[in-house]
Amino acid sequence: MSAGALRERVAALIAEVSGGEVSAREVLNNEGSLTAAGVSSLTFLRLIDALEGEFDVFFDLDADLDFVEDLDTLVERLARNGAAVGDG
């Protein structure tokens, strides 16, 4: 799948796990951090869990997770680890 499709899927996952805090559109249109878009720390934890389940990746919560703070950096990291829409 294309990087654009992966980006849209990750934005949709963020909206799903946010419980209404943010929409996928807000995430996609945001040029800053996900925190600036309204994503809470609890949503970040839910997002990590959702990403691991959907894309069969593992994130060490004791490691540096700064890449999760920004949508594009997160998508790049997932793509680098072989994630693609429809994997999960």
Side-chain angles (χ1 to χ4, degrees), residues 4-57:
L6 181 58
R7 189 174 190 272
E8 288 180 15
R9 180 60 192 137
V10 172
L13 275 175
I14 293 169
E16 288 173 26
V17 301
S18 78
E21 288 178 11
V22 294
S23 69
R25 179 180 300 262
E26 289 171 318
V27 172
L28 289 167
N29 291 335
N30 179 49
E31 293 185 15
S33 70
L34 294 175
T35 302
V39 177
S40 71
S41 57
L42 179 57
T43 297
F44 277 115
L45 291 175
R46 290 177 181 154
L47 176 60
I48 294 292
D49 187 49
L51 293 169
E52 288 179 338
E54 175 128 353
F55 298 112
D56 195 29
V57 295

